[in-house]
Structure formats: C-alpha cells, structure tokens
Coordinates of all heavy atoms in Angstrom, one line a residue:
L1 N 33.3 -78.2 3.7 CA 34.7 -77.7 3.4 C 35.7 -78.4 4.2 O 35.5 -78.7 5.4 CB 34.8 -76.2 3.6 CG 33.9 -75.3 2.7 CD1 34.1 -73.9 3.1 CD2 34.3 -75.5 1.2
E2 N 36.8 -78.8 3.6 CA 37.9 -79.3 4.4 C 38.7 -78.2 5.1 O 38.5 -77.0 4.7 CB 38.9 -80.1 3.5 CG 38.2 -81.3 2.8 CD 37.8 -82.4 3.7 OE1 38.5 -82.6 4.8 OE2 36.8 -83.0 3.4
D3 N 39.4 -78.5 6.1 CA 40.2 -77.4 6.8 C 41.2 -76.8 5.8 O 41.8 -77.4 5.0 CB 41.0 -78.0 7.9 CG 40.1 -78.4 9.1 OD1 39.0 -77.9 9.2 OD2 40.5 -79.3 9.8
G4 N 41.2 -75.4 5.8 CA 42.1 -74.7 5.0 C 41.5 -74.2 3.7 O 42.1 -73.4 3.0
E5 N 40.3 -74.7 3.3 CA 39.7 -74.3 2.1 C 38.9 -73.0 2.4 O 38.4 -72.8 3.5 CB 38.7 -75.3 1.6 CG 39.4 -76.6 1.1 CD 38.4 -77.6 0.5 OE1 37.2 -77.4 0.7 OE2 38.9 -78.5 -0.1
G6 N 38.9 -72.1 1.4 CA 38.3 -70.8 1.6 C 36.8 -70.8 1.6 O 36.2 -71.7 1.0
K7 N 36.2 -69.9 2.3 CA 34.7 -69.8 2.3 C 34.1 -69.4 0.9 O 32.9 -69.6 0.7 CB 34.2 -68.8 3.4 CG 34.7 -69.2 4.8 CD 34.1 -70.4 5.3 CE 34.5 -70.7 6.7 NZ 34.2 -72.0 7.2
W8 N 34.9 -68.8 0.1 CA 34.5 -68.5 -1.3 C 34.0 -69.7 -2.1 O 33.3 -69.6 -3.0 CB 35.5 -67.6 -2.0 CG 36.8 -68.4 -2.3 CD1 37.9 -68.5 -1.4 CD2 37.1 -69.2 -3.4 NE1 38.8 -69.3 -2.0 CE2 38.4 -69.8 -3.2 CE3 36.4 -69.5 -4.6 CZ2 38.9 -70.6 -4.1 CZ3 37.0 -70.4 -5.5 CH2 38.2 -70.9 -5.3
L9 N 34.5 -70.9 -1.7 CA 34.1 -72.1 -2.4 C 32.6 -72.3 -2.2 O 32.0 -73.0 -3.1 CB 34.9 -73.3 -1.9 CG 36.3 -73.4 -2.4 CD1 37.1 -74.5 -1.8 CD2 36.4 -73.5 -3.9
I10 N 32.0 -71.9 -1.1 CA 30.6 -72.0 -1.0 C 29.8 -71.3 -2.1 O 28.9 -71.8 -2.7 CB 30.1 -71.6 0.4 CG1 30.7 -72.5 1.5 CG2 28.6 -71.5 0.6 CD1 30.5 -72.0 2.9
I11 N 30.3 -70.1 -2.3 CA 29.6 -69.2 -3.4 C 29.9 -69.9 -4.7 O 28.9 -70.0 -5.5 CB 30.2 -67.8 -3.3 CG1 29.8 -67.1 -2.0 CG2 29.7 -67.0 -4.5 CD1 30.5 -65.8 -1.7
L12 N 31.1 -70.3 -5.0 CA 31.4 -71.0 -6.3 C 30.6 -72.2 -6.4 O 30.0 -72.5 -7.5 CB 32.9 -71.3 -6.3 CG 33.4 -72.0 -7.6 CD1 33.1 -71.1 -8.8 CD2 34.8 -72.4 -7.5
F13 N 30.4 -73.0 -5.4 CA 29.6 -74.2 -5.5 C 28.2 -73.9 -5.8 O 27.5 -74.5 -6.6 CB 29.7 -75.0 -4.1 CG 28.8 -76.2 -4.0 CD1 29.2 -77.4 -4.6 CD2 27.6 -76.1 -3.3 CE1 28.3 -78.5 -4.6 CE2 26.8 -77.2 -3.2 CZ 27.2 -78.4 -3.8
A14 N 27.6 -72.9 -5.1 CA 26.2 -72.5 -5.3 C 26.0 -72.0 -6.8 O 25.0 -72.3 -7.4 CB 25.8 -71.4 -4.3
V15 N 26.9 -71.2 -7.3 CA 26.8 -70.7 -8.6 C 26.9 -71.8 -9.6 O 26.0 -71.9 -10.6 CB 27.9 -69.6 -8.9 CG1 28.0 -69.3 -10.4 CG2 27.7 -68.4 -8.1
L16 N 27.8 -72.7 -9.5 CA 28.0 -73.8 -10.4 C 26.8 -74.8 -10.3 O 26.3 -75.3 -11.3 CB 29.3 -74.6 -10.1 CG 30.6 -73.9 -10.5 CD1 31.8 -74.7 -10.0 CD2 30.6 -73.5 -11.9
M17 N 26.2 -75.0 -9.1 CA 25.1 -75.9 -9.0 C 23.8 -75.2 -9.7 O 23.0 -75.9 -10.2 CB 24.8 -76.2 -7.5 CG 25.8 -77.2 -6.9 SD 25.8 -78.8 -7.8 CE 24.2 -79.4 -7.4
N18 N 23.7 -73.9 -9.6 CA 22.6 -73.2 -10.2 C 22.7 -73.3 -11.8 O 21.7 -73.5 -12.4 CB 22.5 -71.8 -9.8 CG 21.8 -71.6 -8.5 OD1 20.6 -71.6 -8.5 ND2 22.5 -71.5 -7.4
I19 N 23.9 -73.2 -12.3 CA 24.1 -73.4 -13.7 C 23.8 -74.8 -14.1 O 23.1 -75.0 -15.1 CB 25.6 -73.0 -14.1 CG1 25.8 -71.5 -13.9 CG2 25.9 -73.4 -15.5 CD1 27.3 -71.1 -14.0
L20 N 24.3 -75.7 -13.3 CA 24.0 -77.1 -13.6 C 22.5 -77.4 -13.6 O 21.9 -78.1 -14.4 CB 24.7 -78.0 -12.6 CG 24.6 -79.5 -12.7 CD1 25.3 -80.0 -14.0 CD2 25.2 -80.2 -11.5
F21 N 21.8 -76.8 -12.6 CA 20.3 -77.0 -12.5 C 19.6 -76.4 -13.7 O 18.7 -77.0 -14.2 CB 19.8 -76.4 -11.2 CG 18.3 -76.4 -11.1 CD1 17.7 -77.6 -10.9 CD2 17.5 -75.3 -11.3 CE1 16.3 -77.7 -10.8 CE2 16.2 -75.3 -11.3 CZ 15.5 -76.6 -11.0
I22 N 20.0 -75.3 -14.2 CA 19.4 -74.7 -15.3 C 19.6 -75.5 -16.6 O 18.7 -75.7 -17.4 CB 19.9 -73.2 -15.5 CG1 19.4 -72.3 -14.4 CG2 19.4 -72.7 -16.9 CD1 20.0 -70.9 -14.3
M23 N 20.8 -76.1 -16.7 CA 21.1 -77.0 -17.8 C 20.2 -78.2 -17.7 O 19.7 -78.8 -18.7 CB 22.6 -77.3 -17.9 CG 23.4 -76.1 -18.3 SD 25.2 -76.3 -18.1 CE 25.5 -78.0 -18.5
Y24 N 20.1 -78.8 -16.5 CA 19.3 -80.0 -16.2 C 17.8 -79.7 -16.6 O 17.2 -80.5 -17.2 CB 19.4 -80.4 -14.8 CG 18.7 -81.6 -14.4 CD1 19.0 -82.9 -14.9 CD2 17.6 -81.5 -13.5 CE1 18.3 -84.0 -14.5 CE2 17.0 -82.7 -13.1 CZ 17.3 -83.9 -13.6 OH 16.6 -85.0 -13.2
D25 N 17.3 -78.5 -16.2 CA 16.0 -78.2 -16.5 C 15.7 -78.1 -18.0 O 14.7 -78.7 -18.5 CB 15.6 -76.8 -15.9 CG 14.2 -76.4 -16.1 OD1 13.3 -77.2 -15.7 OD2 14.0 -75.3 -16.7
R26 N 16.6 -77.5 -18.7 CA 16.5 -77.5 -20.2 C 16.6 -78.9 -20.8 O 15.9 -79.2 -21.7 CB 17.6 -76.6 -20.8 CG 17.6 -75.1 -20.4 CD 16.5 -74.4 -21.2 NE 15.4 -74.1 -20.3 CZ 14.2 -73.8 -20.6 NH1 13.9 -73.7 -21.8 NH2 13.3 -73.6 -19.7
L27 N 17.5 -79.7 -20.3 CA 17.7 -81.1 -20.7 C 16.4 -81.9 -20.5 O 16.0 -82.6 -21.4 CB 18.8 -81.7 -20.1 CG 19.1 -83.2 -20.4 CD1 19.5 -83.3 -21.9 CD2 20.2 -83.8 -19.6
L28 N 15.7 -81.7 -19.4 CA 14.5 -82.4 -19.1 C 13.4 -82.0 -20.1 O 12.6 -82.8 -20.5 CB 14.0 -82.2 -17.7 CG 14.8 -82.9 -16.6 CD1 14.2 -82.5 -15.2 CD2 14.7 -84.4 -16.7
I29 N 13.3 -80.7 -20.4 CA 12.3 -80.2 -21.4 C 12.6 -80.9 -22.7 O 11.7 -81.4 -23.4 CB 12.3 -78.7 -21.4 CG1 11.8 -78.1 -20.1 CG2 11.5 -78.2 -22.6 CD1 12.0 -76.6 -20.0
T30 N 13.8 -80.9 -23.1 CA 14.2 -81.5 -24.4 C 13.9 -83.0 -24.4 O 13.4 -83.5 -25.4 CB 15.7 -81.2 -24.8 OG1 15.9 -79.8 -24.7 CG2 16.1 -81.7 -26.1
L31 N 14.3 -83.7 -23.4 CA 14.1 -85.1 -23.3 C 12.6 -85.5 -23.3 O 12.2 -86.5 -23.9 CB 14.8 -85.7 -22.1 CG 16.3 -85.9 -22.2 CD1 16.9 -86.4 -20.9 CD2 16.7 -86.7 -23.4
T32 N 11.8 -84.7 -22.6 CA 10.4 -84.9 -22.5 C 9.8 -84.8 -23.9 O 9.0 -85.6 -24.3 CB 9.7 -84.0 -21.5 OG1 10.3 -84.1 -20.2 CG2 8.2 -84.2 -21.5
R33 N 10.2 -83.8 -24.6 CA 9.7 -83.6 -26.0 C 10.1 -84.7 -26.9 O 9.3 -85.2 -27.7 CB 10.1 -82.2 -26.5 CG 9.5 -81.8 -27.8 CD 8.0 -81.5 -27.6 NE 7.5 -81.3 -28.9 CZ 6.3 -81.8 -29.3 NH1 5.6 -82.5 -28.6 NH2 5.9 -81.5 -30.6

C-alpha cells in the first residue's frame, strides 16, 4: 500500500483475487476440455 491508502484495500484485494482465481479455475477446466 502507498502512504495514505486505507487498510481496507487489503481485504478488497484479497476478495477480488479470490474471485479472479475462481474464474481462472473455471477457465482452465473449460480450456482443458
């Protein structure tokens, strides 16, 4: 985090990365098939 950014961005980053990962997992299954 840069100075002045809120700590809530860590939670937002984690949530967005988990959503991205779930989408990536589904995409890999589809691409493999």
